[in-house]
Amino acid sequence: MKILAVDFSSPRRSVALVEEGGEGAVVVAGRMEEISGRRTLGLVEEALKQAGWQREEIQTLAVGLGPGSYTGIRGAVALAQGWQLGRGVNLLGISTVECLAAQAEVEKMFGPVHIVIDAQRNEFYLAGYEIAPDGRSETEALRLAGFAEVQRLADGGARIIGPEATQWFAQAATVFPDAAILGRLACGRRDYVAGCNLEPIYMRETTFKKAPPLRVVT
Amino acid sequence: MTLLAIETSCDETGVAIIREGRVLSNVVASQTAIHAEYGGVVPELATREHLRNFMPVAAEALRQASVTPAGLDAVAVTRGPGLPSALLAGLKAGQALAFCLRKPIAGIHHLEAHLYSPWILADPPRGDFAQFEPSVSLVASGGHTLLVHVRGLFNHRVLGATLDDAAGECFDKIGKLMGLAYPAGAQIDRLAADGNPKAFQFPRPMLAEANDDFSFAGLKTSVRYFLEKNPGLLDDPRRLRDVCASAQAAIVEVLAGKTARAARRLGARCVTASGGVACNNALRRELAAACAQAGMRLRLAERVFSTDNAAMIGILAERKLMAGAGEMDLDAEIEPNWALPLA
């Protein structure tokens, strides 16, 4: 199974080509990253060259669904939709937070970890994980948290990681979502979704001002 | 050439299949009912809907056209102007489709597509560029109002544009003041049919000015002050129809008057009108009368191609690609504020 993984949810756009082999073997055949860039398919094209793969060989697209930069996430979702329309590939949506937790495991950040992603409006997306040598487990489900709450965690010595976490919390560790990890997470998964059901992870209620009652003129 | 075109510049998700100037299918998922609740287009909701609608709309367009993705020779997409996140949804999907199929992709200017949409016939739906002739063209919609001198195919010059609100926006805002549902243009058109356009005098902004620009914000404000001074007026259905007819007359007189005047000044033999406001019956009548009086031909966009649709994107893209123009780079970006290119 040849997988194209994309995560555009942070300022570091990441693309990887991952091959799921037999007996759980996973090979990262190509990867491209770009900080503060705006390329999408250009990165995919370079990763394909690196791997020596043809675009027609891609069987599955794994997309980082955030939360994070919705412009980036939506770009990735739309890219996946276009690819599925053209080639009928399988699509998988994977939480960017899950990806970051898996990265923490790969980087041996053992112990409790708080994943923090900028949510704008002085808020953060916050999730807790316990990272151990034999795996990771979620200790606190993803939710929105105010700055003060995360600051208290940081002041209390909690380990905070995230794409731009050091911008706010000096003690934090910068960890950007890595599409190679996303691709690894996609290996073995078969819970494919139709493109129209691939949706960014939204954490805020949509509240918009409604129009006043209407005048009905027959 | 068989081409799949995508339009997502505002609140309509459109996909069309075009083959050699013929519109094989033209599917549009309208979000009007969703945005009506808010009295206008909410960009965030529009984007979410585009992401939900694109795949089913594209699948339906392909099915209706009996075309498979493998049978496509090119892809076209609206690159701008429009709502940034809405444009992005269509552009990235189109780019990925073109990339995975190894086909060229054209990035089309939404207003340029409207500009040439009067040259698309509705039945059967196809381009009619054999009849093309130079014109002065009015493009009027909820987001744009401009007057263009079309000297030849893809050879055009913007003469003037709105300095503030677009004509369609003016209709919608006046409708909102009157408590009518969004979008109000069609309702005002319907109610005005039974009203007296001379019942109330509203200003004809910039009609007397020698330039080709428009301004509709003041007209909307004038209607607002008028309604504030006459609070009970809208409770009388007859008077409400008169307000609709009078406000509509002001908008239409400005649009038709300035279009006809520019055409006479430039010696144009043909006038065209397109965009959602070109569906307005009073505007169609007024333009017809003005053109008849001046001995000019009038070419109005068919109603189905007046509002946002992908067929006009595809028809224009096919002609451009065949002429060796319009092809976009792999990672070309959206152009939310793209000015109509000056040829």
Side-chain angles (χ1 to χ4, degrees):
Chain A
M1 172 79 77
K2 288 184 168 165
I3 299 168
L4 164 61
V6 294
D7 192 299
F8 300 154
S9 69
S10 80
R12 179 181 288 178
R13 294 188 165 204
S14 180
V15 163
L17 296 166
V18 175
E19 182 151 26
E20 180 187 329
E23 297 173 5
V26 174
V27 177
V28 178
R31 60 194 293 181
M32 281 299 300
E33 286 184 342
E34 191 171 80
I35 297 176
S36 303
R38 307 190 77 137
R39 290 191 301 160
T40 53
L41 288 164
L43 295 176
V44 173
E45 191 173 46
E46 285 189 35
L48 283 166
K49 271 187 207 156
Q50 215 179 79
W53 291 6
Q54 298 300 311
R55 60 193 79 173
E56 291 80 5
E57 293 177 67
I58 303 292
Q59 294 159 289
T60 298
L61 254 81
V63 180
L65 296 180
S69 155
Y70 285 103
T71 300
I73 299 164
R74 286 167 176 158
V77 167
L79 183 152
Q81 290 180 337
W83 205 303
Q84 187 177 57
L85 180 68
R87 292 275 168 201
V89 294
N90 304 311
L91 301 186
L92 278 170
I94 297 174
S95 157
T96 298
V97 168
E98 197 186 331
C99 177
L100 290 168
Q103 273 171 253
E105 187 184 340
V106 169
E107 293 178 27
K108 298 184 169 50
M109 295 176 165
F110 300 132
V113 164
H114 295 274
I115 294 168
V116 168
I117 299 169
D118 181 18
Q120 313 278 320
R121 307 182 208 171
N122 214 28
E123 288 187 312
F124 295 91
Y125 302 111
L126 175 69
Y129 280 82
E130 179 69 30
I131 311 294
D134 58 345
R136 64 189 180 277
S137 57
E138 185 187 78
T139 56
E140 191 179 0
L142 177 65
R143 63 183 172 89
L144 278 167
F147 175 82
E149 182 185 350
V150 183
Q151 184 66 65
R152 276 196 299 277
L153 282 171
D155 291 345
R159 177 177 245 168
I160 289 171
I161 67 166
E164 298 164 290
T166 52
Q167 270 190 31
W168 295 275
F169 312 106
Q171 317 88 317
T174 299
V175 179
F176 286 104
D178 180 349
I181 302 284
L182 197 75
R184 286 176 186 275
L185 290 173
C187 291
R189 278 181 58 170
R190 298 291 182 267
D191 51 330
Y192 303 127
V193 294
C196 58
N197 295 327
L198 196 64
E199 197 167 65
I201 295 172
Y202 296 116
M203 299 296 294
R204 278 197 183 98
E205 290 288 316
T206 51
T207 48
F208 303 104
K209 193 178 167 192
K210 296 204 172 181
L214 300 174
R215 181 182 303 275
V216 179
V217 188
T218 53
Chain B
M1 178 186 291
T2 304
L3 179 148
L4 182 144
I6 302 167
E7 154 63 32
T8 62
S9 65
C10 190
D11 61 338
E12 317 279 10
T13 313
V15 176
I17 307 294
I18 307 298
R19 178 181 289 156
E20 283 146 26
R22 287 175 295 132
V23 181
L24 301 187
S25 63
N26 181 33
V27 180
V28 180
S30 174
Q31 303 174 15
T32 300
I34 291 166
H35 299 288
E37 206 178 337
Y38 302 95
V41 175
V42 181
E44 173 67 23
L45 294 180
T47 307
R48 292 184 184 201
E49 285 303 303
H50 285 311
L51 289 177
R52 286 182 196 125
N53 293 340
F54 171 70
M55 293 292 279
V57 168
E60 180 60 16
L62 287 163
R63 190 194 65 76
Q64 284 183 18
S66 300
V67 168
T68 63
L72 296 173
D73 299 305
V75 177
V77 61
T78 303
R79 191 177 175 187
L83 301 172
S85 53
L87 288 167
L88 181 81
L91 183 91
K92 286 295 160 203
Q95 286 174 327
L97 176 64
F99 180 80
C100 75
L101 293 174
R102 295 181 187 271
K103 302 296 178 191
I105 180 167
I108 295 300
H109 194 291
H110 180 80
L111 295 179
E112 195 176 7
H114 270 305
L115 183 64
Y116 292 101
S117 65
W119 305 101
I120 309 175
L121 297 174
D123 190 21
R126 62 179 172 84
D128 188 31
F129 289 94
Q131 303 297 317
F132 176 83
E133 59 183 315
S135 64
V136 162
S137 298
L138 172 69
V139 181
S141 68
H144 311 274
T145 300
L146 63 162
L147 212 45
V148 185
H149 186 201
V150 182
R151 295 171 292 202
L153 204 53
F154 311 137
N155 178 353
H156 44 259
R157 181 170 65 95
V158 175
L159 299 169
T162 183
L163 304 178
D164 39 56
D165 290 352
E169 190 179 359
C170 185
F171 271 114
D172 289 339
K173 285 179 173 174
I174 288 173
K176 199 171 183 177
L177 291 170
M178 298 169 72
L180 302 178
Y182 171 88
Q187 283 188 85
I188 290 177
D189 191 3
R190 178 175 63 82
L191 294 168
D194 298 322
N196 176 6
K198 293 180 178 164
F200 308 108
Q201 256 319 301
F202 293 116
R204 271 60 174 162
M206 299 185 77
L207 182 59
E209 292 187 25
N211 59 45
D212 296 314
D213 289 328
F214 300 95
S215 166
F216 292 105
L219 171 57
K220 168 209 65 191
T221 306
S222 170
V223 174
R224 193 182 88 210
Y225 288 153
F226 173 79
L227 293 175
E228 283 171 4
K229 280 184 197 161
N230 300 276
L233 194 131
L234 295 179
D235 296 329
D236 178 345
R238 189 177 58 83
R239 302 303 274 166
L240 181 140
R241 286 175 165 80
D242 287 345
V243 177
C244 286
S246 300
Q248 177 178 271
I251 298 170
V252 163
E253 195 178 318
V254 172
L255 290 173
K258 295 198 89 161
T259 303
R261 190 179 67 194
R264 285 194 301 271
R265 187 183 75 237
L266 293 164
R269 307 291 303 274
C270 178
V271 165
T272 75
S274 57
V277 177
C279 289
N280 181 278
N281 289 300
L283 178 62
R284 293 171 93 91
R285 281 195 304 272
E286 193 93 2
L287 283 171
C291 288
Q293 193 180 18
M296 294 181 287
R297 276 175 295 282
L298 175 65
R299 184 102 185 195
L300 298 166
E302 301 276 5
R303 289 175 195 272
V304 66
F305 300 124
S306 289
T307 48
D308 289 350
N309 66 91
M312 66 178 187
I313 303 297
I315 288 281
L316 181 64
E318 188 185 39
R319 291 198 73 89
K320 286 204 161 200
L321 287 171
M322 284 166 65
E327 195 171 340
M328 219 172 25
D329 290 342
L330 188 64
D331 271 332
E333 293 190 41
I334 55 168
E335 295 277 4
N337 301 310
W338 202 0
L340 188 64
L342 300 177

